[in-house]
Amino acid sequence: MFYPEKMLKIRMIALHKNKYRIIQVLHDEGVIDLRRSELQMQDDVPAETLPAISEQLVRYKGAEEILSRYFDKKAPARRAVRDLQPEQEELLKRASAFDVTPIFKLEERISAIANELNDIKSAKDIALLFVGTEIDFSKLKSEILGFTAYEINNDAVKNVTEIIDRLDEGFEFIENKTKKTNVLFVAYEKSKANELKSIAELEGVSEVDISNTYLDSTAESVLAKLNRLKKALVIEDAKIEKELKGDAARDFSMIATQREMLEIESERASVSLNFKRSDSTFVIEG
């Protein structure tokens, strides 16, 4: 009784003087159907085809890597490439016919949302420091006055207080205490900015970035706006993730197969970059 057996196609280039020895070794190793390869390796072939093949290979590799993160690992395993490797022209035609650009755009948006959510978290952390102060950040614009704020741990409060007591006119302070830290908001005449350096240099004191673009009203209004924005981004992120999972379920196997074929063709097209057919060489396959 006959049973099917997995086969592997090989192609070799070697010197004519080793021809019969190589054929004997290949037969001993079980290689069958040996024949002279019809592969053409003219010097101009790689120069014409390699750029297009390489470009598509990079795109398909990238798309495969993205979708692999959303592909159901419990899904049936992808079959290895079994059908005949198409010619370069047909392979490139197939590769170009499927547009992987939307996959990259969705992944870019996922990354952008992640960055925006991090920015929102930073802005919320700042806004929470000013809850109850009634400070409207949209009005902190003046040609004469400057504005700054400091976060102060408990051990540094005494030293900051001593510095404030020594400052003369030209400063206005708003203090706020949260559950975790102490906050000092300062409005000052710009000509006296240097006098605040001693506060910033104290251990346990850090300057708060009140120039954050999300700070455009009172702390309470900012927090409400940021919560709405965060909710919308989380919903959008979930929608995109669902779309990518659908793309992975539908297209991952096809993209992986296409990538494998492109890799094979890339290696094949690269042969003549390293080897040249001459009177001293021959190509055999089986």
Side-chain angles (χ1 to χ4, degrees):
M1 182 175 291
F2 295 98
Y3 295 95
E5 183 71 22
K6 291 183 178 180
M7 306 293 285
L8 178 67
K9 186 175 182 178
I10 66 166
R11 179 179 290 113
M12 297 183 63
I13 184 170
L15 295 175
H16 268 299
K17 65 179 182 180
N18 299 323
K19 179 177 180 179
Y20 296 107
R21 175 58 181 160
I22 290 173
I23 291 174
Q24 181 62 49
V25 171
L26 291 174
H27 277 309
D28 291 345
E29 292 297 323
V31 179
I32 62 174
D33 193 24
L34 286 173
R35 66 185 69 178
R36 181 180 293 277
S37 175
E38 297 180 359
L39 175 67
Q40 300 298 315
M41 296 187 296
Q42 293 89 343
D43 291 350
D44 59 336
V45 172
E48 293 179 358
T49 61
L50 265 181
I53 293 171
S54 298
E55 179 182 355
Q56 290 294 348
L57 180 56
V58 169
R59 290 172 62 79
Y60 272 82
K61 275 185 175 180
E64 181 185 9
E65 193 279 327
I66 292 171
L67 292 186
S68 67
R69 301 199 294 271
Y70 301 94
F71 185 66
D72 184 2
K73 303 301 188 295
K74 296 179 180 179
R78 179 181 67 86
R79 290 183 179 181
V81 175
R82 295 293 187 213
D83 56 344
L84 293 176
Q85 181 77 6
E87 295 297 327
Q88 288 183 4
E89 184 177 348
E90 176 62 22
L91 180 59
L92 288 172
K93 183 179 179 181
R94 291 185 194 177
S96 301
F98 184 81
D99 187 9
V100 297
T101 302
I103 296 173
F104 293 113
K105 288 184 176 180
L106 290 174
E107 180 68 8
E108 288 174 4
R109 183 55 188 154
I110 286 281
S111 298
I113 289 174
N115 291 334
E116 197 166 351
L117 287 173
N118 285 332
D119 292 341
I120 288 173
K121 181 181 183 305
S122 298
K124 287 182 69 174
D125 290 342
I126 296 173
L128 285 169
L129 298 175
F130 297 95
V131 171
T133 63
E134 299 184 356
I135 296 172
D136 188 340
F137 293 95
S138 66
K139 297 180 179 179
L140 302 184
K141 299 175 183 179
S142 172
E143 295 182 359
I144 300 174
L145 299 178
F147 307 93
T148 190
Y150 303 98
E151 191 173 356
I152 307 164
N153 65 31
N154 291 330
D155 294 335
V157 170
K158 181 179 178 181
N159 292 331
V160 172
T161 302
E162 291 176 353
I163 294 175
I164 291 175
D165 291 340
R166 292 198 300 268
L167 295 175
D168 56 12
E169 296 182 356
F171 298 89
E172 182 177 344
F173 302 96
I174 298 177
E175 298 180 37
N176 193 38
K177 186 175 180 64
T178 70
K179 293 180 179 180
K180 297 181 179 180
T181 188
N182 304 278
V183 182
L184 178 67
F185 175 83
V186 186
Y188 58 92
E189 294 178 6
K190 289 183 178 180
S191 60
K192 298 185 177 183
N194 287 336
E195 296 181 40
L196 292 172
K197 287 184 177 180
S198 55
I199 295 179
E201 292 171 352
L202 287 174
E203 184 176 351
V205 176
S206 58
E207 191 168 359
V208 178
D209 179 19
I210 59 174
S211 66
N212 188 292
T213 55
Y214 286 108
L215 303 179
D216 57 3
S217 56
T218 63
E220 290 80 1
S221 295
V222 169
L223 288 170
K225 180 187 69 175
L226 292 176
N227 285 334
R228 290 193 298 271
L229 181 56
K230 178 182 178 180
K231 182 179 179 180
L233 289 172
V234 170
I235 292 173
E236 183 184 1
D237 184 81
K239 182 179 179 181
I240 294 175
E241 183 174 340
K242 182 179 180 180
E243 186 172 352
L244 284 169
K245 285 182 178 179
D247 290 345
R250 184 184 63 251
D251 299 325
F252 177 76
S253 293
M254 180 274 294
I255 288 174
T257 299
Q258 192 75 8
R259 183 269 308 160
E260 186 176 343
M261 287 182 173
L262 285 164
E263 281 186 338
I264 293 171
E265 196 60 37
S266 177
E267 293 175 2
R268 175 187 293 179
S270 300
V271 169
S272 61
L273 293 178
N274 303 308
F275 303 98
K276 307 297 181 186
R277 174 169 282 172
S278 69
D279 293 337
S280 300
T281 63
F282 73 101
V283 180
I284 191 172
E285 60 185 29

